[in-house]
Amino acid sequence: MHALTLAEAAERGGVSKPIAYNHFQSRAGLLCALYDRYYTGHIEELTKALERAATVEEAAKVIAQAYVDCVEQSGPVAAALAGALSGGAEMETMRRDCDDRYVGLCVATLESRAARPIHFASVVAFVGAAASLSNEVQRGRISKKEAVDHLAGLLASAVT
């Protein structure tokens, strides 16, 4: 991701450099647009899957499964993109906004099924654990089922 320039993106996209610069203004703008596209797709899939989850436990399982699936499906691209987003103020703000919206969705989903407040810190801990366990799945050190089960248990415990 660090070698990506707007000129290279324009060339690969079959458009002129001025079009790329007018649309994205900067490399940071391009990276933010890519991350937003990735993030929005993940949230849309998650939201659709959550419609079928009636209980806290079911919702926790759906959220955990979706996180691990998303990391698995995106492979190293999403990790590289997230890393690149740590390189500047605009990109860091974008990444943090997405993280906040994701945590907010998890909190709202769990509260709507638990009918009581949840522990915000537990949801934040889930996000960190989900990233770590998803990486371990990719490395082949734990199974996908094991990661999902542990993550769902962690998330469900946020409401107890």
Side-chain angles (χ1 to χ4, degrees), residues 13 31 104:
L31 292 173

Side-chain angles (χ1 to χ4, degrees), residues 104-154:
L105 173 63
C106 292
V107 167
T109 297
L110 295 172
E111 283 185 345
S112 72
R113 286 154 179 84
R116 63 183 182 266
I118 69 156
H119 300 290
F120 177 79
S122 295
V123 178
V124 173
F126 160 80
V127 173
S132 294
L133 290 178
S134 294
N135 288 335
E136 294 302 317
V137 169
Q138 287 187 318
R139 294 176 64 196
R141 293 178 56 165
I142 62 172
S143 72
K144 188 174 177 179
K145 181 184 181 329
E146 185 178 12
V148 170
D149 289 348
H150 277 70
L151 290 169
L154 176 64

Side-chain angles (χ1 to χ4, degrees), residues 8-41:
E8 183 180 348
E11 183 180 316
R12 288 185 182 188
V15 298
S16 68
K17 284 190 242 181
I19 289 174
Y21 281 93
N22 285 337
H23 189 72
F24 297 111
Q25 285 80 44
S26 67
R27 177 179 179 271
L30 172 62
L31 292 173
C32 285
L34 288 171
Y35 191 79
D36 185 62
R37 183 175 180 184
Y38 160 78
Y39 170 82
T40 300

